[in-house]
Amino acid sequence: MVVVRGTHRVPGDKSITHRALMLATLAPGRSTIRGALPSLDARSTAGVLRALGAGISALRSGKVVQVMGRQELVAPRSTLQCGNSGTTARLMLGLLAAQPFQARLTGDASLRRRPMRRVTEPLVHMGAAVQAGRHDGLPLTIRGGPLQPLDWTLPVASAQIKSALLLAGAVAGVPVTLHEPAASRDHTERLLRHFGYPVRVLPGLIAMEPGGRITPFDMPVPGDPSSAAFLLAAAILADGGEIRIAGVGCNPSRLGYLAVLGRMGAPVGVEGVREPFGEPIGELVVRAGPLRAVTVPAAEVPGLIDEVPILACLAARAHGTSRFHGLAELRVKESDRLALVAENLRAIGVTAEVQGDDLVVEGTDALLQGRVRTAGDHRMAMAFMVLGHRSPGRIVVDDPGCAAVSYPGFPAALAALAAGVA
């Protein structure tokens, strides 16, 4: 019997860590970032920024990060390596679009397959020059310079595309108006607003005017709510008990999965919220309990895009048949997550299928066992490690180490739930 207990913490928010490093680089002087995520993705961003002239101390667990920013970035001497990080590549394109030099970006095999034209096309419209290969991805070369104002309709709801264009406008000092088909996470808007940029957000519209100024800062990075979702899921699947996750980001644009959990019969409480730098930070509380099937409409997906793999794994243990609609964007993540989630569920004994861009999962209480293929996708690894937590050794994840992309030390954190280790 597995009973969970205790107060736990998760590593720093990956999205905010990326953005804090970039903004600190643009702030002339010394900035301090507390609780930054020392993941592989965040280290990719730090490495790229160092190549552009920033002084950034090592990203290590529990260590404060010091950043010496610059008035002007410098041209890199070699190709910028973005690793596996789509956030690094896309947001850096926005920063580089306003710089008076040329830079070339690349990444690992997975990142080179991910689409970039949805970012580069509006940047070219603003005045940047982009040279890409035959396909819609890295490697590519961008030459920046003075940019023009932008009024653009985003093809998909994407925080990465939106953030790249807002950062380009902020650095270049030009207005940016974006029409978004659905709401996506809003960390960039909140941070720019904190630094004095007028950012107006209406349903389907984000409009930023120049006028802000990025100055050195001392920022706390909240715990990553996407990482917290995996511990919450493990606690829900336990035989009993309750856990609290302290100091976690409670930005509404990141907590769409809480509504889904509530409909499944596992409501999560949010307590003690405060808002440094405009970002809500609080505590999440959840108890173990039975689950029922759920339907997730396409309109909800942009607000829980990173949590679909773990929600699908929870659906495998829910009573009834769950349906997730409109998951096309999962096909262009670190892996084709839509196909891979279904494939892996079937591999361990769950009935699951892809119907167009929808995922259908039939819940079961049967013993699950088999081998899971991650394709190097950190969220795939963590989701199936959670399912395997109840049956050690029966669900084998082929590359558990890739979880370090977003959650260094995840296996130990998972084990600590039952032990009640804070």
Side-chain angles (χ1 to χ4, degrees), residues 67-116:
V67 180
M68 182 60 70
R70 302 177 58 92
Q71 190 73 45
E72 296 180 354
L73 302 184
V74 299
R77 297 181 178 180
S78 59
T79 298
L80 301 172
Q81 298 289 338
C82 301
N84 185 247
S85 178
T87 304
T88 303
R90 292 186 177 120
L91 270 62
M92 285 307 311
L93 286 169
L95 290 187
L96 292 168
Q99 305 300 324
F101 53 74
Q102 178 174 294
R104 184 169 176 81
L105 296 86
T106 192
D108 68 9
S110 171
L111 183 58
R112 291 197 301 272
R113 291 192 297 268
R114 299 179 68 179
M116 293 293 156

mmCIF file of all heavy atoms in Angstrom, residues 67-116:
data_model
loop_
_atom_site.group_PDB
_atom_site.id
_atom_site.type_symbol
_atom_site.label_atom_id
_atom_site.label_comp_id
_atom_site.label_asym_id
_atom_site.label_seq_id
_atom_site.Cartn_x
_atom_site.Cartn_y
_atom_site.Cartn_z
ATOM 1 N N VAL A 67 23.697 37.219 -13.000
ATOM 2 C CA VAL A 67 23.806 37.555 -14.420
ATOM 3 C C VAL A 67 24.326 38.975 -14.559
ATOM 4 O O VAL A 67 23.766 39.912 -13.976
ATOM 5 C CB VAL A 67 22.443 37.436 -15.134
ATOM 6 C CG1 VAL A 67 22.581 37.793 -16.614
ATOM 7 C CG2 VAL A 67 21.867 36.032 -14.978
ATOM 8 N N MET A 68 25.407 39.139 -15.319
ATOM 9 C CA MET A 68 25.902 40.464 -15.653
ATOM 10 C C MET A 68 25.428 40.786 -17.070
ATOM 11 O O MET A 68 25.912 40.221 -18.058
ATOM 12 C CB MET A 68 27.432 40.518 -15.575
ATOM 13 C CG MET A 68 28.005 41.901 -15.865
ATOM 14 S SD MET A 68 27.404 43.184 -14.705
ATOM 15 C CE MET A 68 28.240 42.662 -13.194
ATOM 16 N N GLY A 69 24.409 41.657 -17.134
ATOM 17 C CA GLY A 69 23.828 42.002 -18.413
ATOM 18 C C GLY A 69 24.614 43.075 -19.139
ATOM 19 O O GLY A 69 25.578 43.641 -18.610
ATOM 20 N N ARG A 70 24.181 43.361 -20.371
ATOM 21 C CA ARG A 70 24.907 44.283 -21.236
ATOM 22 C C ARG A 70 23.961 45.303 -21.861
ATOM 23 O O ARG A 70 22.784 45.012 -22.076
ATOM 24 C CB ARG A 70 25.596 43.525 -22.378
ATOM 25 C CG ARG A 70 26.564 42.455 -21.966
ATOM 26 C CD ARG A 70 27.101 41.751 -23.191
ATOM 27 N NE ARG A 70 27.752 42.696 -24.108
ATOM 28 C CZ ARG A 70 29.047 42.984 -24.078
ATOM 29 N NH1 ARG A 70 29.832 42.392 -23.208
ATOM 30 N NH2 ARG A 70 29.557 43.844 -24.936
ATOM 31 N N GLN A 71 24.499 46.463 -22.166
ATOM 32 C CA GLN A 71 23.733 47.455 -22.907
ATOM 33 C C GLN A 71 23.475 46.967 -24.325
ATOM 34 O O GLN A 71 22.399 47.159 -24.889
ATOM 35 C CB GLN A 71 24.491 48.783 -22.945
ATOM 36 C CG GLN A 71 23.689 49.954 -23.473
ATOM 37 C CD GLN A 71 22.643 50.423 -22.470
ATOM 38 O OE1 GLN A 71 22.936 50.557 -21.284
ATOM 39 N NE2 GLN A 71 21.419 50.663 -22.925
ATOM 40 N N GLU A 72 24.486 46.285 -24.902
ATOM 41 C CA GLU A 72 24.363 45.751 -26.256
ATOM 42 C C GLU A 72 24.935 44.343 -26.290
ATOM 43 O O GLU A 72 25.990 44.068 -25.701
ATOM 44 C CB GLU A 72 25.114 46.636 -27.258
ATOM 45 C CG GLU A 72 24.555 48.046 -27.382
ATOM 46 C CD GLU A 72 25.331 48.879 -28.375
ATOM 47 O OE1 GLU A 72 26.370 48.388 -28.873
ATOM 48 O OE2 GLU A 72 24.916 50.017 -28.653
ATOM 49 N N LEU A 73 24.251 43.432 -26.977
ATOM 50 C CA LEU A 73 24.766 42.082 -27.163
ATOM 51 C C LEU A 73 25.881 42.102 -28.204
ATOM 52 O O LEU A 73 26.016 43.046 -28.979
ATOM 53 C CB LEU A 73 23.640 41.145 -27.604
ATOM 54 C CG LEU A 73 22.433 41.045 -26.659
ATOM 55 C CD1 LEU A 73 21.437 40.012 -27.176
ATOM 56 C CD2 LEU A 73 22.877 40.697 -25.249
ATOM 57 N N VAL A 74 26.699 41.043 -28.208
ATOM 58 C CA VAL A 74 27.807 40.960 -29.168
ATOM 59 C C VAL A 74 27.541 39.816 -30.134
ATOM 60 O O VAL A 74 26.869 38.832 -29.811
ATOM 61 C CB VAL A 74 29.158 40.744 -28.446
ATOM 62 C CG1 VAL A 74 29.450 41.896 -27.511
ATOM 63 C CG2 VAL A 74 29.166 39.417 -27.687
ATOM 64 N N ALA A 75 28.080 39.945 -31.342
ATOM 65 C CA ALA A 75 27.897 38.908 -32.358
ATOM 66 C C ALA A 75 28.594 37.624 -31.907
ATOM 67 O O ALA A 75 29.741 37.657 -31.464
ATOM 68 C CB ALA A 75 28.456 39.381 -33.687
ATOM 69 N N PRO A 76 27.928 36.492 -32.010
ATOM 70 C CA PRO A 76 28.550 35.238 -31.596
ATOM 71 C C PRO A 76 29.660 34.819 -32.569
ATOM 72 O O PRO A 76 29.579 35.074 -33.765
ATOM 73 C CB PRO A 76 27.384 34.243 -31.609
ATOM 74 C CG PRO A 76 26.436 34.796 -32.629
ATOM 75 C CD PRO A 76 26.552 36.288 -32.523
ATOM 76 N N ARG A 77 30.664 34.125 -32.034
ATOM 77 C CA ARG A 77 31.782 33.688 -32.867
ATOM 78 C C ARG A 77 31.512 32.341 -33.524
ATOM 79 O O ARG A 77 32.252 31.934 -34.421
ATOM 80 C CB ARG A 77 33.048 33.610 -32.019
ATOM 81 C CG ARG A 77 33.489 34.954 -31.456
ATOM 82 C CD ARG A 77 34.761 34.808 -30.652
ATOM 83 N NE ARG A 77 35.237 36.096 -30.145
ATOM 84 C CZ ARG A 77 36.338 36.248 -29.410
ATOM 85 N NH1 ARG A 77 37.081 35.175 -29.095
ATOM 86 N NH2 ARG A 77 36.697 37.440 -28.977
ATOM 87 N N SER A 78 30.489 31.638 -33.053
ATOM 88 C CA SER A 78 30.183 30.317 -33.612
ATOM 89 C C SER A 78 28.672 30.108 -33.579
ATOM 90 O O SER A 78 27.915 30.938 -33.057
ATOM 91 C CB SER A 78 30.898 29.225 -32.828
ATOM 92 O OG SER A 78 30.511 29.247 -31.464
ATOM 93 N N THR A 79 28.225 28.988 -34.120
ATOM 94 C CA THR A 79 26.803 28.656 -34.142
ATOM 95 C C THR A 79 26.270 28.514 -32.726
ATOM 96 O O THR A 79 26.915 27.913 -31.860
ATOM 97 C CB THR A 79 26.582 27.341 -34.914
ATOM 98 O OG1 THR A 79 27.019 27.527 -36.262
ATOM 99 C CG2 THR A 79 25.116 26.947 -34.910
ATOM 100 N N LEU A 80 25.098 29.078 -32.488
ATOM 101 C CA LEU A 80 24.461 29.012 -31.169
ATOM 102 C C LEU A 80 23.757 27.674 -31.013
ATOM 103 O O LEU A 80 22.891 27.320 -31.811
ATOM 104 C CB LEU A 80 23.464 30.162 -31.012
ATOM 105 C CG LEU A 80 24.070 31.568 -31.146
ATOM 106 C CD1 LEU A 80 22.975 32.622 -31.160
ATOM 107 C CD2 LEU A 80 25.076 31.834 -30.024
ATOM 108 N N GLN A 81 24.110 26.938 -29.967
ATOM 109 C CA GLN A 81 23.583 25.594 -29.739
ATOM 110 C C GLN A 81 22.413 25.649 -28.768
ATOM 111 O O GLN A 81 22.580 25.971 -27.596
ATOM 112 C CB GLN A 81 24.691 24.689 -29.193
ATOM 113 C CG GLN A 81 25.866 24.493 -30.138
ATOM 114 C CD GLN A 81 25.512 23.632 -31.334
ATOM 115 O OE1 GLN A 81 24.552 22.849 -31.299
ATOM 116 N NE2 GLN A 81 26.288 23.755 -32.407
ATOM 117 N N CYS A 82 21.203 25.302 -29.244
ATOM 118 C CA CYS A 82 19.993 25.381 -28.428
ATOM 119 C C CYS A 82 19.596 24.040 -27.814
ATOM 120 O O CYS A 82 18.578 23.958 -27.118
ATOM 121 C CB CYS A 82 18.828 25.921 -29.263
ATOM 122 S SG CYS A 82 19.132 27.567 -29.942
ATOM 123 N N GLY A 83 20.389 22.990 -28.073
ATOM 124 C CA GLY A 83 20.107 21.690 -27.473
ATOM 125 C C GLY A 83 18.749 21.148 -27.885
ATOM 126 O O GLY A 83 18.407 21.099 -29.065
ATOM 127 N N ASN A 84 17.948 20.774 -26.882
ATOM 128 C CA ASN A 84 16.619 20.210 -27.109
ATOM 129 C C ASN A 84 15.523 21.250 -26.867
ATOM 130 O O ASN A 84 14.339 20.932 -26.889
ATOM 131 C CB ASN A 84 16.413 19.014 -26.178
ATOM 132 C CG ASN A 84 15.104 18.289 -26.412
ATOM 133 O OD1 ASN A 84 14.210 18.293 -25.559
ATOM 134 N ND2 ASN A 84 14.958 17.671 -27.566
ATOM 135 N N SER A 85 15.927 22.504 -26.656
ATOM 136 C CA SER A 85 14.996 23.503 -26.135
ATOM 137 C C SER A 85 14.333 24.362 -27.216
ATOM 138 O O SER A 85 14.958 25.277 -27.771
ATOM 139 C CB SER A 85 15.723 24.408 -25.134
ATOM 140 O OG SER A 85 14.850 25.414 -24.665
ATOM 141 N N GLY A 86 13.061 24.094 -27.471
ATOM 142 C CA GLY A 86 12.300 24.927 -28.389
ATOM 143 C C GLY A 86 12.126 26.335 -27.860
ATOM 144 O O GLY A 86 12.113 27.311 -28.632
ATOM 145 N N THR A 87 11.986 26.485 -26.539
ATOM 146 C CA THR A 87 11.856 27.821 -25.958
ATOM 147 C C THR A 87 13.115 28.629 -26.212
ATOM 148 O O THR A 87 13.047 29.814 -26.577
ATOM 149 C CB THR A 87 11.587 27.726 -24.446
ATOM 150 O OG1 THR A 87 10.428 26.931 -24.223
ATOM 151 C CG2 THR A 87 11.369 29.103 -23.848
ATOM 152 N N THR A 88 14.281 28.021 -26.018
ATOM 153 C CA THR A 88 15.534 28.727 -26.281
ATOM 154 C C THR A 88 15.577 29.217 -27.720
ATOM 155 O O THR A 88 15.817 30.400 -27.982
ATOM 156 C CB THR A 88 16.737 27.808 -26.011
ATOM 157 O OG1 THR A 88 16.692 27.334 -24.665
ATOM 158 C CG2 THR A 88 18.043 28.545 -26.247
ATOM 159 N N ALA A 89 15.330 28.315 -28.656
ATOM 160 C CA ALA A 89 15.449 28.673 -30.076
ATOM 161 C C ALA A 89 14.471 29.770 -30.466
ATOM 162 O O ALA A 89 14.850 30.771 -31.084
ATOM 163 C CB ALA A 89 15.240 27.436 -30.939
ATOM 164 N N ARG A 90 13.207 29.602 -30.111
ATOM 165 C CA ARG A 90 12.185 30.533 -30.598
ATOM 166 C C ARG A 90 12.298 31.895 -29.921
ATOM 167 O O ARG A 90 12.194 32.933 -30.583
ATOM 168 C CB ARG A 90 10.805 29.920 -30.399
ATOM 169 C CG ARG A 90 10.585 28.700 -31.300
ATOM 170 C CD ARG A 90 9.176 28.172 -31.214
ATOM 171 N NE ARG A 90 8.978 27.056 -32.136
ATOM 172 C CZ ARG A 90 8.624 25.822 -31.779
ATOM 173 N NH1 ARG A 90 8.416 25.555 -30.497
ATOM 174 N NH2 ARG A 90 8.473 24.877 -32.669
ATOM 175 N N LEU A 91 12.499 31.933 -28.624
ATOM 176 C CA LEU A 91 12.610 33.228 -27.947
ATOM 177 C C LEU A 91 13.895 33.946 -28.335
ATOM 178 O O LEU A 91 13.920 35.175 -28.477
ATOM 179 C CB LEU A 91 12.513 33.069 -26.432
ATOM 180 C CG LEU A 91 11.094 33.163 -25.853
ATOM 181 C CD1 LEU A 91 10.197 32.051 -26.385
ATOM 182 C CD2 LEU A 91 11.118 33.126 -24.330
ATOM 183 N N MET A 92 14.986 33.183 -28.543
ATOM 184 C CA MET A 92 16.230 33.818 -28.974
ATOM 185 C C MET A 92 16.088 34.426 -30.362
ATOM 186 O O MET A 92 16.677 35.463 -30.650
ATOM 187 C CB MET A 92 17.376 32.809 -28.958
ATOM 188 C CG MET A 92 17.894 32.467 -27.574
ATOM 189 S SD MET A 92 18.355 33.903 -26.556
ATOM 190 C CE MET A 92 19.382 34.818 -27.686
ATOM 191 N N LEU A 93 15.298 33.810 -31.229
ATOM 192 C CA LEU A 93 15.052 34.420 -32.533
ATOM 193 C C LEU A 93 14.442 35.805 -32.371
ATOM 194 O O LEU A 93 14.774 36.741 -33.111
ATOM 195 C CB LEU A 93 14.138 33.525 -33.369
ATOM 196 C CG LEU A 93 14.782 32.255 -33.944
ATOM 197 C CD1 LEU A 93 13.719 31.324 -34.530
ATOM 198 C CD2 LEU A 93 15.815 32.624 -35.017
ATOM 199 N N GLY A 94 13.535 35.947 -31.406
ATOM 200 C CA GLY A 94 12.955 37.252 -31.146
ATOM 201 C C GLY A 94 13.984 38.264 -30.685
ATOM 202 O O GLY A 94 14.014 39.412 -31.166
ATOM 203 N N LEU A 95 14.858 37.870 -29.763
ATOM 204 C CA LEU A 95 15.897 38.785 -29.279
ATOM 205 C C LEU A 95 16.879 39.138 -30.398
ATOM 206 O O LEU A 95 17.282 40.295 -30.548
ATOM 207 C CB LEU A 95 16.671 38.148 -28.125
ATOM 208 C CG LEU A 95 15.951 37.974 -26.785
ATOM 209 C CD1 LEU A 95 16.937 37.499 -25.732
ATOM 210 C CD2 LEU A 95 15.305 39.273 -26.328
ATOM 211 N N LEU A 96 17.249 38.141 -31.179
ATOM 212 C CA LEU A 96 18.252 38.361 -32.220
ATOM 213 C C LEU A 96 17.718 39.188 -33.380
ATOM 214 O O LEU A 96 18.486 39.855 -34.078
ATOM 215 C CB LEU A 96 18.761 37.013 -32.734
ATOM 216 C CG LEU A 96 19.591 36.207 -31.727
ATOM 217 C CD1 LEU A 96 19.788 34.779 -32.219
ATOM 218 C CD2 LEU A 96 20.948 36.887 -31.486
ATOM 219 N N ALA A 97 16.405 39.174 -33.583
ATOM 220 C CA ALA A 97 15.826 39.934 -34.695
ATOM 221 C C ALA A 97 16.093 41.424 -34.577
ATOM 222 O O ALA A 97 16.099 42.140 -35.580
ATOM 223 C CB ALA A 97 14.322 39.682 -34.767
ATOM 224 N N ALA A 98 16.318 41.910 -33.354
ATOM 225 C CA ALA A 98 16.546 43.342 -33.149
ATOM 226 C C ALA A 98 18.029 43.682 -32.981
ATOM 227 O O ALA A 98 18.361 44.830 -32.677
ATOM 228 C CB ALA A 98 15.770 43.809 -31.919
ATOM 229 N N GLN A 99 18.933 42.715 -33.191
ATOM 230 C CA GLN A 99 20.360 42.957 -33.003
ATOM 231 C C GLN A 99 21.038 43.243 -34.341
ATOM 232 O O GLN A 99 20.700 42.633 -35.359
ATOM 233 C CB GLN A 99 21.026 41.737 -32.353
ATOM 234 C CG GLN A 99 20.385 41.291 -31.050
ATOM 235 C CD GLN A 99 20.407 42.361 -29.984
ATOM 236 O OE1 GLN A 99 21.368 43.140 -29.879
ATOM 237 N NE2 GLN A 99 19.352 42.426 -29.176
ATOM 238 N N PRO A 100 22.016 44.139 -34.365
ATOM 239 C CA PRO A 100 22.652 44.530 -35.639
ATOM 240 C C PRO A 100 23.767 43.586 -36.070
ATOM 241 O O PRO A 100 24.858 44.016 -36.456
ATOM 242 C CB PRO A 100 23.205 45.921 -35.299
ATOM 243 C CG PRO A 100 23.559 45.818 -33.842
ATOM 244 C CD PRO A 100 22.501 44.937 -33.229
ATOM 245 N N PHE A 101 23.521 42.284 -35.997
ATOM 246 C CA PHE A 101 24.526 41.315 -36.443
ATOM 247 C C PHE A 101 23.829 40.020 -36.858
ATOM 248 O O PHE A 101 22.625 39.863 -36.686
ATOM 249 C CB PHE A 101 25.570 41.047 -35.358
ATOM 250 C CG PHE A 101 25.007 40.653 -34.012
ATOM 251 C CD1 PHE A 101 24.461 39.380 -33.787
ATOM 252 C CD2 PHE A 101 25.033 41.548 -32.943
ATOM 253 C CE1 PHE A 101 23.960 39.014 -32.554
ATOM 254 C CE2 PHE A 101 24.530 41.191 -31.698
ATOM 255 C CZ PHE A 101 23.991 39.914 -31.503
ATOM 256 N N GLN A 102 24.620 39.121 -37.389
ATOM 257 C CA GLN A 102 24.109 37.844 -37.874
ATOM 258 C C GLN A 102 24.423 36.739 -36.873
ATOM 259 O O GLN A 102 25.481 36.728 -36.245
ATOM 260 C CB GLN A 102 24.750 37.520 -39.226
ATOM 261 C CG GLN A 102 24.341 36.188 -39.828
ATOM 262 C CD GLN A 102 24.902 36.018 -41.222
ATOM 263 O OE1 GLN A 102 24.526 36.747 -42.143
ATOM 264 N NE2 GLN A 102 25.820 35.071 -41.393
ATOM 265 N N ALA A 103 23.506 35.806 -36.722
ATOM 266 C CA ALA A 103 23.721 34.665 -35.833
ATOM 267 C C ALA A 103 23.097 33.420 -36.464
ATOM 268 O O ALA A 103 22.073 33.507 -37.151
ATOM 269 C CB ALA A 103 23.116 34.920 -34.462
ATOM 270 N N ARG A 104 23.710 32.285 -36.222
ATOM 271 C CA ARG A 104 23.206 31.011 -36.717
ATOM 272 C C ARG A 104 22.839 30.140 -35.523
ATOM 273 O O ARG A 104 23.598 30.043 -34.556
ATOM 274 C CB ARG A 104 24.253 30.316 -37.586
ATOM 275 C CG ARG A 104 23.767 29.011 -38.229
ATOM 276 C CD ARG A 104 24.771 28.532 -39.271
ATOM 277 N NE ARG A 104 24.406 27.244 -39.863
ATOM 278 C CZ ARG A 104 23.522 27.091 -40.833
ATOM 279 N NH1 ARG A 104 22.899 28.153 -41.331
ATOM 280 N NH2 ARG A 104 23.250 25.896 -41.330
ATOM 281 N N LEU A 105 21.674 29.511 -35.571
ATOM 282 C CA LEU A 105 21.189 28.676 -34.479
ATOM 283 C C LEU A 105 20.975 27.247 -34.967
ATOM 284 O O LEU A 105 20.540 27.024 -36.102
ATOM 285 C CB LEU A 105 19.862 29.204 -33.926
ATOM 286 C CG LEU A 105 19.837 30.571 -33.261
ATOM 287 C CD1 LEU A 105 19.633 31.661 -34.321
ATOM 288 C CD2 LEU A 105 18.734 30.652 -32.220
ATOM 289 N N THR A 106 21.248 26.306 -34.079
ATOM 290 C CA THR A 106 20.938 24.917 -34.355
ATOM 291 C C THR A 106 20.549 24.234 -33.046
ATOM 292 O O THR A 106 20.479 24.874 -31.998
ATOM 293 C CB THR A 106 22.124 24.194 -35.037
ATOM 294 O OG1 THR A 106 21.673 22.932 -35.537
ATOM 295 C CG2 THR A 106 23.283 23.983 -34.069
ATOM 296 N N GLY A 107 20.266 22.931 -33.115
ATOM 297 C CA GLY A 107 19.868 22.187 -31.929
ATOM 298 C C GLY A 107 20.080 20.710 -32.160
ATOM 299 O O GLY A 107 20.672 20.300 -33.179
ATOM 300 N N ASP A 108 19.598 19.901 -31.244
ATOM 301 C CA ASP A 108 19.747 18.457 -31.425
ATOM 302 C C ASP A 108 18.775 17.955 -32.493
ATOM 303 O O ASP A 108 18.001 18.719 -33.074
ATOM 304 C CB ASP A 108 19.578 17.726 -30.083
ATOM 305 C CG ASP A 108 18.162 17.781 -29.524
ATOM 306 O OD1 ASP A 108 17.231 18.244 -30.225
ATOM 307 O OD2 ASP A 108 17.965 17.352 -28.369
ATOM 308 N N ALA A 109 18.819 16.647 -32.753
ATOM 309 C CA ALA A 109 18.011 16.087 -33.840
ATOM 310 C C ALA A 109 16.526 16.338 -33.627
ATOM 311 O O ALA A 109 15.784 16.625 -34.577
ATOM 312 C CB ALA A 109 18.291 14.585 -33.974
ATOM 313 N N SER A 110 16.082 16.248 -32.377
ATOM 314 C CA SER A 110 14.663 16.483 -32.082
ATOM 315 C C SER A 110 14.270 17.924 -32.355
ATOM 316 O O SER A 110 13.257 18.204 -33.000
ATOM 317 C CB SER A 110 14.373 16.123 -30.617
ATOM 318 O OG SER A 110 13.072 16.520 -30.241
ATOM 319 N N LEU A 111 15.084 18.870 -31.882
ATOM 320 C CA LEU A 111 14.756 20.288 -32.071
ATOM 321 C C LEU A 111 14.820 20.670 -33.548
ATOM 322 O O LEU A 111 14.028 21.494 -34.012
ATOM 323 C CB LEU A 111 15.704 21.156 -31.245
ATOM 324 C CG LEU A 111 15.434 22.666 -31.295
ATOM 325 C CD1 LEU A 111 14.023 22.995 -30.827
ATOM 326 C CD2 LEU A 111 16.459 23.425 -30.460
ATOM 327 N N ARG A 112 15.736 20.066 -34.296
ATOM 328 C CA ARG A 112 15.845 20.413 -35.722
ATOM 329 C C ARG A 112 14.608 20.001 -36.512
ATOM 330 O O ARG A 112 14.373 20.496 -37.615
ATOM 331 C CB ARG A 112 17.104 19.772 -36.322
ATOM 332 C CG ARG A 112 18.404 20.382 -35.798
ATOM 333 C CD ARG A 112 19.587 20.031 -36.692
ATOM 334 N NE ARG A 112 19.798 18.597 -36.804
ATOM 335 C CZ ARG A 112 20.536 17.867 -35.987
ATOM 336 N NH1 ARG A 112 21.142 18.445 -34.945
ATOM 337 N NH2 ARG A 112 20.697 16.568 -36.186
ATOM 338 N N ARG A 113 13.795 19.112 -35.941
ATOM 339 C CA ARG A 113 12.556 18.710 -36.617
ATOM 340 C C ARG A 113 11.379 19.616 -36.260
ATOM 341 O O ARG A 113 10.309 19.503 -36.873
ATOM 342 C CB ARG A 113 12.204 17.263 -36.245
ATOM 343 C CG ARG A 113 13.140 16.214 -36.818
ATOM 344 C CD ARG A 113 12.566 14.822 -36.652
ATOM 345 N NE ARG A 113 12.418 14.451 -35.252
ATOM 346 C CZ ARG A 113 13.349 13.800 -34.553
ATOM 347 N NH1 ARG A 113 14.494 13.478 -35.119
ATOM 348 N NH2 ARG A 113 13.138 13.481 -33.295
ATOM 349 N N ARG A 114 11.537 20.508 -35.322
ATOM 350 C CA ARG A 114 10.409 21.309 -34.861
ATOM 351 C C ARG A 114 10.250 22.567 -35.712
ATOM 352 O O ARG A 114 11.232 23.172 -36.153
ATOM 353 C CB ARG A 114 10.574 21.666 -33.375
ATOM 354 C CG ARG A 114 10.618 20.425 -32.494
ATOM 355 C CD ARG A 114 10.812 20.745 -31.040
ATOM 356 N NE ARG A 114 9.652 21.425 -30.474
ATOM 357 C CZ ARG A 114 9.573 21.796 -29.191
ATOM 358 N NH1 ARG A 114 10.573 21.561 -28.373
ATOM 359 N NH2 ARG A 114 8.496 22.401 -28.744
ATOM 360 N N PRO A 115 9.004 22.994 -35.959
ATOM 361 C CA PRO A 115 8.765 24.114 -36.891
ATOM 362 C C PRO A 115 9.235 25.452 -36.340
ATOM 363 O O PRO A 115 9.023 25.760 -35.178
ATOM 364 C CB PRO A 115 7.246 24.088 -37.078
ATOM 365 C CG PRO A 115 6.713 23.434 -35.844
ATOM 366 C CD PRO A 115 7.741 22.420 -35.444
ATOM 367 N N MET A 116 9.859 26.247 -37.188
ATOM 368 C CA MET A 116 10.335 27.573 -36.805
ATOM 369 C C MET A 116 9.727 28.679 -37.673
ATOM 370 O O MET A 116 9.776 29.848 -37.305
ATOM 371 C CB MET A 116 11.871 27.636 -36.912
ATOM 372 C CG MET A 116 12.591 26.751 -35.903
ATOM 373 S SD MET A 116 12.363 27.299 -34.195
ATOM 374 C CE MET A 116 12.660 25.767 -33.301
#
